[in-house]
Structures are given as structure tokens and as C-alpha cells.
Amino acid sequence: MHYRDFHRESIANPDEFWRREAARIHWETPFDQVLDRSNPPFARWFCGGRTNLCFNAVDRHLAARAQQNALVYVSTETGIERRYTYADLHAEVNRMAAVMRSLGVGRGDRVLIYLPMIPEAVFAMLACARLGAIHSVVFGGFAAPSLAARIDDAKPALLVTADAGARGGKVIDYTPLVDEAMARAAHAPPKVLLIDRQLAPERLNAPYLVDYEPLREQHYDVQIPCEWLESNEPSYILYTSGTTGKPKGVQRDVGGYAVALAASMEYIFEGRAGDTMFTASDIGWVVGHSYIIYAPLLAGMTTVMYEGTPIRPDGGIWWRLVEQHRINLMFTAPTAIRVLKKQDPALLRAADLSSLRTLFLAGEPLDEPTAEWISEALDKPVVDNYWQTETGWPMLAIQRGVEALPPKLGSPGVPCYGYDLVLRSEHTGEPCAQGEKGVITLGYPLPPGCMQTVWGDDARFVKTYWESVPGQQVYSTFDWGVQDADGYVTILGRTDDVINVAGHRLGTREIEEAISSHAAVAEVAVVGVNDAVKGQAALAFVVLRDANAAASPADAQKLAAALAATVDRQLGAIGRPARVHFVPMLPKTRSGKLLRRAIAALAEGHEPGDLPTIEDASALLSIREAVSAGNG
Ligand code: AMP
């Protein structure tokens, strides 16, 4: 097959193209319309069709692969390893669904999942899918106020949590965080289901806490039928950062998502039933949703779920997992590879990697030295792929299952089938010439699997994503790119105030809001700068109410630590700035707009390009001085 024809066909005849792909999943009731485009920019896929994600991911495989491993769980934090066949997974999901139902969860209800990387997280997500409830997984690294904001937006009927998470040998108590979030939230659910791993030294005993284990025993043999949902009913909400401080709930459907993931498994990942896939991400991120859980299970594969870091007990752990579990496909973020690159290369060479076919990398730009190192070290294809929470599956990749086009260093590849991806001028909205930098946009309709809307806020969906390119109703990715003559696109960073730290997307506004909540702070600007390992790091430039508060180096250090702790408390440690600089003022335009791009340029040690007229030029000078003093 030729990629070009395949892609062209998917854009020219989406109805035909996706009708064919839809045969990959089970439809309890067939759809009567492939695509409803009567209300742009909204698109509805497989209208009238009724299906269920859990049925397709679990039940459907019982006939042929009940005894095949569905989920292999490895935790280097607790030393626990568990294997669940499809039959086991089916039983555990039924138990979890029965427990949830006994706590009042039904079709259309939201269930907020705040869990570490444990098998119960998979059971809980699939149990929601089974019941027709809408899961919203919140990354375990988020702090109480962030959790509370998500509770208030999703208004869940139930929250599922654990006593603790663990990272790098450190136990993180969850119950105090959940307790604070429950107290802060206006829409706290009546009950919190607790998975007690017996990790936390002391466990809170709030009245709303319900222990999972005794309930699981009680519902051990209960069978819960799959709720057949219309294809366009929501399956989940996943919050992601944008330009404003308020996270957006990316809402996804059921049927379109199932079809898109199943197709991606063949065309992009070349995964087949019976294969083993190890996606080293977290269930709190979209890569975890799509490629730890749904896609491998939809395809009848074995998925490996890992709790731990890539370098504990040593930097060979992931390669040994490949050997031990005969892993065929591996997927992670470039940051992890940069971390592994610093390890003893003998650790990689010592493992038998013969089962591994391909390594997939996504979430942030893949720099050339890292790409070269890992391709050489593994001597296997390394497939960079570009996408975002909103799309749910790759937009750009070398689609080896279609045609193994040659990779080009620095580019994640060519547009994936289904995506009418066009680079456009930010000023005119017109398509860019070859080699010209532009905003990466997608034409209407987005393919199946992409976000349907912002949860509870259609207007925000339209305004944010579909009205930001002048004169065109196209979807903006908020990424810059450039496309070459062969169609390969290179990503050149975000057009908005989102930064990407170790593959985690963070809104600089969210970090600024957290820092501003400290009493000493008058004003703050947070920008992202290049970081050798994490891709980007957040730097904070802070104007104090009382400049003397940071007059001595010791005071400045103490205050910087206090601000970092504030971010930990408000947002979570993932938002903690790498460095805090105290400055007398921030550079702004005459109308008071912060000059973030100029600050970011100075912070990286180069001169800002063209600047609008600024209020006080000395502000730029003070940024420059702060940065060079900080580096010296
Ligand atoms: P998230 O929604 O957290 O997955 O973050 C998505 C953003 O990460 C994208 O909009 C890009 O800015 C960036 N990103 C994801 N994958 C890649 C990639 N392969 N190359 C460059 N940037 C990427």
C-alpha cells in the first residue's frame, strides 16, 4: 500500500474509509450513519451504533484468549508483580463494576480516579466503561487544589483513590490530599472508594472512605452486563492544560475512540493479537489511556503496566523487562530515553532484546542526538509520533503498517490517515509554503477518536480550538511546525503558554497562579526554557511586594524554597519551577501584556527578536541580569 493514496483516500472519502475501519470492533447495534457533519465543528461518528469499550477490550477476547495474559503488572516500588489473563481481568472488572454500582454509579455518572499505577486503576477505568459511567483520571502527581478543581468541573458520583503512591522509593500519602480536596470542593462526591495498598504509614479514616477489599469480597461472583452505549455518548474526560489557568476537560466518545485505536494498532504500531506491549507512561496522561489500556486490549494484546522509575533498581530495569516478558512493542517519552542514555550502556547490551520490534516515542520533541543514540543502541526502528491529549492518537508518524517511509531525524513524520493536517499562517490563515513556519491545523471533521468537546462547555471548545486561526474554521493544535517537500513536518514549539516538562504538559498560567498565592508575591511570569534532560524546564521571574524580602542570598534562597513548596501544595510537584529569579519588574507592553516570549528568549541566553513597544526597557535588563547572575 502507498501511504499517499491511503492518506488521500481517508480525507477524500471519510465515510467509506471509516466504515471499513469500524468493522474492527463489535457493534451490538450497527450504526446507521458513519459521519454526521450537520453541526460543525462538532462531528459525530458511527451514529446510532451501540457498543461498549469494556466489551471490546475484555469480553470479546474471552472466546479465543481467556488464558492469555491481558495485563502484566510490575512495580519496582513495592516489588510486586502480578499477571492477569483475559479471564482474570474480566472477573476483576466485573467485581469493580459491581462495587461501583453498589455505591450508586450508573450510566452517564462521572467517576474520578486518583490512583497510582496499580492494576485496580485499570479495573476501575474498564468498570466505568462497562457501566457506561464516564471516568476522569487525575494524575497522581497533582495536589489537592488541582484535584478539587477537577472534582468541581466533573461533579463525580464517586472518587476512587488509594492510601498511597510511591516514586523512587518515596511513599506519597494520598488520603490527606484527597481529604483536603474533598473539603475544598463544592461538588465533593458522597463516597470515596479506597484501595488500601497498606503503603501509607498512617491512613486517614474519614467518614466518606469506603474500603474496596471487603466490598470486592462481597461482590466476588457478581456479573455486570455491559451497558450498550450509543457511539457518541462520552467515555471519558481527561483534563489538560491550556492558556488559561482553568484546565479543560477533553471529552471523548465511545465508538469513534474504539475504532481509531484499533486502526492505529495496525497502521501505526503494527501490533497484533498476542503481542506484548510496554507503554511506560502514566494512566493520568493520554498516552496511558490510549496505549497502556485501551488500544492493546482492544487488539487482544498483553499490556505491561509499570510502577517505578527507569533507573531503579538500576538503569537496566526496562531492558530486563523486555527480556523477561518478551516485549514486542515499547512506547515512552524522549525524556526517559535521555535519562537512560546517561546510564551504563552495558546495561542495555546485557539484555536480550530480540523480542522487541519497535520503540515508539511521543509527548515532546525528540532531539537528534537522543534519536541517533537509541536507534543505534537498539538497532530497531524508533518511531517518533506527534499528537496531543485532544486527538487521542497520533497525528504525525511514519505509519509503518501502511508504508515504511524512511524516517527523517528531527521530524515525527507525515500526517496520519484521517487527519487533514495543514500548516497555516498565523496572520492570514492561508496555507504555508513549503519550508515556511506555520501553525499546525486540522480541517473539519476531526477523525474518530479525537475530542468531541470540552466537558460541559461547547462554547469553549469552539472558541478555543476552532476560532483561533484567522478567517478559517480549522482546529488549531497550538503547535508551530514546518513541512518539507516530502510532507514531513517538524515541530517548532507551542504557539501558546503551554510548556512541556519531561513529556508532561503544563500551563505556565497554572504555575503562575500557584506562585501568586504566596503572600510575598506581587507579580510573576513563568516561562519554559530548554533543558538537556527534561526537554523544557519552568523558570519563574518573581516581583516581590517587598523587594527587601530577598535582599540577601540567604533570604532569597529561603523565599525561593517557600515558593516552590507553594507550587507543590497548590498544583503538585510536577509544576515546581526549576529556578526562581527575583526581579524588580517584568517587561510588559504599553497595554500591560506580559512579554513572555521575550522573557523566555532572555532566559535561554539569546536576544529577543522584534519587540512591541515596551513600557520600561530596564525590565528586560533586569531579566537578563537575573539570568546571568543565576547561572554564574
Ligand atoms: P499532551 O496533550 O500532554 O500529550 O501534550 C501534547 C503536546 O506535546 C503537543 O501539542 C506538542 O506540543 C507536544 N508533543 C507531543 N508529541 C510530540 C512529538 N512527537 N514531537 C514534538 N512535540 C510533541
Side-chain angles (χ1 to χ4, degrees), residues 171-364:
V171 170
I172 304 131
D173 283 7
Y174 276 23
T175 49
L177 287 171
V178 169
D179 198 50
E180 188 190 333
M182 290 286 285
R184 277 173 176 265
H187 297 278
K191 295 275 179 248
V192 173
L193 185 60
L194 181 88
I195 317 290
D196 194 351
R197 313 173 73 191
Q198 314 208 325
L199 269 189
E202 248 177 289
R203 197 198 106 174
L204 208 73
N205 264 321
Y208 50 74
L209 281 177
V210 192
D211 266 276
Y212 178 59
E213 197 46 43
L215 284 175
R216 174 176 172 272
E217 288 298 318
Q218 249 176 49
H219 295 86
Y220 205 77
D221 294 315
V222 182
Q223 298 282 316
I224 300 287
C226 289
E227 188 79 28
W228 299 113
L229 303 176
E230 200 277 336
S231 177
N232 293 280
E233 286 183 57
S235 60
Y236 70 74
I237 308 166
L238 182 55
Y239 288 92
T240 190
S241 302
T243 301
T244 66
K246 189 174 182 279
K248 292 183 286 257
V250 167
Q251 178 187 318
R252 231 181 285 292
D253 70 356
V254 176
Y257 188 52
V259 170
L261 291 185
S264 77
M265 234 352 145
E266 173 175 343
Y267 299 132
I268 302 171
F269 294 89
E270 294 184 289
R272 295 180 284 268
D275 279 349
T276 298
M277 180 164 190
F278 170 30
T279 298
S281 175
D282 190 282
I283 51 151
W285 309 114
V286 70
V287 173
H289 281 62
S290 291
Y291 295 102
I292 295 176
I293 302 173
Y294 287 112
L297 295 177
L298 286 167
M301 297 163 63
T302 303
T303 185
V304 176
M305 180 187 203
Y306 176 76
E307 180 185 49
T309 74
I311 51 169
R312 240 177 67 103
D314 61 59
I317 177 65
W318 282 7
W319 311 124
R320 289 197 297 280
L321 286 180
V322 171
E323 174 178 317
Q324 280 161 22
H325 300 282
R326 305 302 295 158
I327 288 164
N328 308 111
L329 307 175
M330 199 171 153
F331 189 172
T332 189
T335 291
I337 303 300
R338 286 191 290 265
V339 167
L340 290 174
K341 189 174 160 205
K342 297 187 160 180
Q343 305 292 308
D344 181 356
L347 289 166
L348 188 149
R349 285 198 298 267
D352 170 8
L353 304 179
S354 57
S355 61
L356 187 67
R357 295 200 300 264
T358 318
L359 171 69
F360 297 89
L361 295 173
E364 54 177 329

Side-chain angles (χ1 to χ4, degrees), residues 8-37:
R8 195 178 304 125
E9 216 254 316
S10 74
I11 303 303
N13 299 312
D15 284 68
E16 271 322 294
F17 184 92
W18 290 107
R19 180 191 303 282
R20 239 182 9 244
E21 297 302 330
R24 294 175 185 276
I25 70 159
H26 169 83
W27 295 94
E28 184 65 10
T29 311
F31 47 88
D32 39 46
Q33 190 185 10
V34 176
L35 168 62
D36 168 8
R37 43 164 93 216

